[in-house]
């Protein structure tokens, strides 16, 4: 193992040990205590705080940062892995990702980020409105990953019930009621997606979970082109293999610690049919029509293909 690899491994182990402490702390909390409202949106209380959000406002983005934006459960970990693999090929060493979830952590985190070498890989579930303006001023490259709302909802339900750091729900029906009104951690899927529609400065690449599932190689090429990176077919193939659901699940203990498997559940399109009633499906159809029909991001989601019973 090279010096840089050893340093990265030590950083990852430190990060996972900190996360494990948070998991232990969560055991003594009620579901209500695991949420905190900041500026009208719910966040995980053990990971986000008002003082940290204030410190975040002064964050200085760089033109060569890479910001991955997702609503929860739409492919965050998958896209972080892909960017990690791409940068590993370019620089011949793994980038540091211990600070990757941009809004998680203590206020000092934003000072710490100042000293991180470029390119910094950051990932966020923040709405367009709550994303620090510096990212837009610096024209940071943003990778927005969308997923159809029905699969996102089912994935979210299972994740909340299996991740001890997040508030669980007593039943699918109770979670669905909260999802549709936006009374969940990170707020409404529909507000989130409609909000990002406003960002249109030519520095954002929009991909979908579904497109990545159907033809990952094609999406990898789009990402590389967007980042101005040239990789050989062999390198792309290697990245494709390392970022399959199976490979990521197998490595999840190493990458995500003891609860790693919770992040890699099924990795499929269409699992929503296992839980949705027809009435619930129609409710989502109506929300989609109201918020996203006819928008660019709405088109990108390919709703009829992926959300019809
Ligand atoms: P499911 O719960 O439907 O399985 P996020 O990383 O934003 O939390 O998203 C988690 C979802 O992405 C989960 O969906 C997870 O299984 C899926 N996922 C993670 N890595 C994946 C991969 N390499 N290929 C396909 N799906 C993946």
């Amino acid at each position: 193992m090279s010096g840089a690899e050893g340093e990265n491994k030590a950083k990852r182990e430190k990060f996972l040990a900190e996360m494990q402490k948070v998991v232990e702390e969560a055991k003594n909390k009620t579901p209500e205590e695991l949420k905190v409202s900041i500026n009208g949106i719910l966040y995980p209380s053990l990971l986000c705080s008002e003082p940290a959000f204030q410190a975040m406002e002064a964050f200085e983005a760089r033109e060569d940062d890479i910001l991955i934006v997702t609503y929860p459960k739409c492919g965050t970990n998958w896209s972080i892995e892909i960017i990690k693999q791409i940068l590993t090929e370019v620089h011949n060493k793994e980038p540091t990702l211990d600070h990757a979830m941009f809004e998680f952590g203590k206020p000092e985190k934003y000072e710490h980020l100042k000293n991180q070498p470029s390119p910094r890989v950051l990932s966020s579930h923040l709405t367009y409105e709550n994303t620090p303006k510096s990212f837009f001023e610096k024209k940071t490259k943003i990778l927005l990953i969308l997923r159809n709302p029905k699969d996102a909802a089912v994935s979210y339900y299972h994740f909340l019930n299996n991740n001890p750091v997040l508030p669980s729900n007593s039943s699918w029906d109770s979670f669905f009621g909260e999802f549709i009104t936006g009374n969940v951690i990170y707020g409404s899927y529909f507000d989130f997606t409609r909000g990002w529609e406003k960002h249109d400065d030519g520095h954002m690449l929009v991909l979908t979970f579904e497109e990545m599932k159907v033809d990952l190689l094609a999406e990898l090429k789009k990402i590389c082109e967007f980042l101005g990176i040239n990789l050989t077919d062999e390198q792309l193939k290697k990245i494709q293999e390392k970022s399959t659901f199976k490979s990521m699940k197998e490595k999840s203990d190493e990458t995500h610690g003891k609860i790693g498997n919770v992040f890699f559940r099924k990795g499929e399109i269409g699992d929503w049919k296992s839980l949705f009633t027809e009435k619930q499906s129609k409710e989502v159809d109506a929300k989609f029509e109201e918020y996203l029909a006819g928008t660019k991001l709405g088109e990108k989601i390919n709703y009829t293909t992926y959300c019809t019973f």
Side-chain angles (χ1 to χ4, degrees), residues 70-78 125 147 151 155 159 209 213 243-245 248 263-268 271:
T70 49
Y71 184 78
K73 312 321 291 170
C74 291
T76 324
N77 288 280
W78 193 5
H125 297 317
R147 187 180 192 185
D151 278 337
S155 178
F159 190 63
F209 182 100
K213 271 301 282 187
S243 46
T244 61
F245 179 76
M248 289 185 66
F263 291 82
F264 304 93
R265 191 184 62 96
K266 278 195 172 174
E268 295 293 343
D271 192 38

Side-chain angles (χ1 to χ4, degrees), residues 243-255:
S243 46
T244 61
F245 179 76
K246 188 168 171 285
S247 333
M248 289 185 66
K249 193 174 175 75
E250 276 169 10
K251 278 189 78 182
S252 62
D253 281 4
E254 198 187 306
T255 54

